[in-house]
Amino acid sequence: MFAEDDVSEEILEPCGMPDHEDCGLRLILDRLGEKWTVMTVAELAGGPRRYREIERSLTGVTQRMLTLTLRRLERDGFLSRTVEPTNPPSVTYALTASGQSFARMVTHLVDWSRSHKDTIRLAQQDFDRHHVG
Amino acid sequence: MFAEDDVSEEILEPCGMPDHEDCGLRLILDRLGEKWTVMTVAELAGGPRRYREIERSLTGVTQRMLTLTLRRLERDGFLSRTVEPTNPPSVTYALTASGQSFARMVTHLVDWSRSHKDTIRLAQQDFDRHHVG
DNA sequence: CCGCATCCGGGATGATACTG
DNA sequence: CAGTATCATCCCGGATGCGG
């Protein structure tokens, strides 16, 4: 996938512009741009997890940001939140069908990143050499 | 592609965490999260463009943001910048091979967004109804 | 035409403390 | 355990003006 063959003047939708609002790409891009979204989805792709488990797996996340991230993913319908009214309480998060589809799309991104990161980093180093020294 | 079938506990790389820095996903996510990246790449996917042409096609972009966006894409090796030393100067931008691959990956995102935006918007409306009254 | 420099506001993120 | 509340901070992005 993501072969290096010709692109043949393929026209992308300039989503986000007045004429193309309905593509909904910004919805996804904004969510992807947030710092903890991908890692959270990645963790939940391994199966349902409790709040504390997710927190431990996301090194450096604060409770505030984790809660915000989970709320937004829940709002998008990507994950479900199940509360066990025990004491102490237990809250379990799990990907929905939509969330699993989202997770699979993220996998494409990860694959693409992995196979291009070296090229990109080299290009950046070249650029930086030519534009400072 | 992006079928709704089972996800079978697929494990995503939690890129960005200490143990997984090398996946390079943040490189891409940060770039995608920026406001004008996708539209710029989309415009250039239609062929080489001059600065002024890109500016006109990106409704609402400021010169500052367009220049920043182009610089960062150039730094990543996604586009080339060719200066014609005429008067007034003429600068042409074009996708590189790497940039065309990037553009194709973006197309996947666009396709996914388009086919899920309704579901997502509905989920958001449901959530908002249940969480405000 | 193609930029760069400067100032500034707002949203995303982080730190810390507190609660049922 | 699973959050909420408050304050501090950083950076993206917009507005504006100048320069080659």
Side-chain angles (χ1 to χ4, degrees):
Chain A
M1 62 188 71
F2 303 118
E4 294 293 347
D5 49 288
D6 64 353
V7 112
S8 64
E9 304 294 297
E10 181 176 0
I11 304 296
L12 295 174
E13 296 283 328
C15 307
M17 300 179 62
D19 303 345
H20 302 81
E21 289 286 326
D22 270 2
C23 141
L25 183 59
R26 278 259 65 91
L27 236 59
I28 306 302
L29 290 183
D30 288 346
R31 189 64 68 252
L32 284 175
E34 291 159 7
K35 186 169 183 178
W36 302 99
T37 299
V38 171
M39 281 184 281
T40 302
V41 170
E43 177 64 17
L44 287 175
R49 294 283 189 274
R50 293 184 55 177
Y51 182 92
R52 202 73 172 89
E53 295 179 303
I54 305 173
E55 187 182 7
R56 268 190 294 264
S57 74
L58 269 54
T59 312
V61 75
T62 59
Q63 290 182 323
R64 169 189 161 77
M65 288 319 298
L66 178 55
T67 299
L68 277 179
T69 302
L70 290 168
R71 282 292 178 283
R72 291 192 276 234
L73 288 172
E74 183 191 2
R75 180 169 182 268
D76 290 341
F78 291 155
L79 57 81
S80 64
R81 178 171 177 272
T82 310
V83 181
E84 248 73 53
T86 57
N87 193 316
S90 164
V91 180
T92 303
Y93 294 89
L95 290 184
T96 61
S98 180
Q100 289 173 354
S101 176
F102 182 68
R104 257 176 286 118
M105 186 207 57
V106 170
T107 312
H108 283 259
L109 278 177
V110 174
D111 291 342
W112 192 92
S113 297
R114 214 194 310 276
S115 57
H116 287 79
K117 67 180 169 65
D118 293 336
T119 305
I120 295 172
R121 290 228 169 83
L122 272 178
Q124 292 179 344
Q125 291 169 18
D126 275 17
F127 184 93
D128 293 344
R129 257 198 308 278
H130 291 314
H131 291 255
V132 282
Chain B
M1 62 191 66
F2 303 119
E4 293 293 347
D5 50 288
D6 64 353
V7 110
S8 63
E9 304 294 297
E10 182 176 359
I11 305 296
L12 295 174
E13 295 284 329
C15 306
M17 301 180 60
D19 303 346
H20 302 82
E21 289 286 323
D22 271 0
C23 142
L25 183 59
R26 278 259 63 90
L27 236 57
I28 306 303
L29 290 184
D30 288 346
R31 189 66 67 252
L32 285 175
E34 291 159 6
K35 187 170 182 178
W36 302 100
T37 299
V38 170
M39 283 185 279
T40 302
V41 170
E43 176 64 16
L44 288 175
R49 295 281 189 274
R50 292 185 54 180
Y51 182 92
R52 203 74 171 89
E53 295 179 301
I54 305 173
E55 187 182 8
R56 268 189 294 265
S57 75
L58 269 52
T59 313
V61 74
T62 60
Q63 289 182 327
R64 168 189 161 80
M65 288 320 297
L66 179 54
T67 299
L68 277 179
T69 302
L70 290 169
R71 282 291 177 284
R72 292 192 275 233
L73 288 172
E74 184 192 2
R75 178 170 184 268
D76 291 340
F78 291 154
L79 58 82
S80 64
R81 179 173 177 272
T82 311
V83 182
E84 248 74 51
T86 57
N87 194 317
S90 163
V91 180
T92 303
Y93 296 88
L95 289 184
T96 60
S98 179
Q100 290 174 354
S101 175
F102 182 68
R104 256 175 287 116
M105 186 207 55
V106 169
T107 312
H108 283 260
L109 279 178
V110 174
D111 291 342
W112 192 91
S113 298
R114 214 195 309 277
S115 58
H116 286 79
K117 65 180 169 63
D118 293 336
T119 305
I120 295 172
R121 291 228 170 82
L122 273 178
Q124 292 180 345
Q125 290 168 19
D126 275 17
F127 184 93
D128 292 345
R129 257 198 309 280
H130 291 314
H131 290 256
V132 280

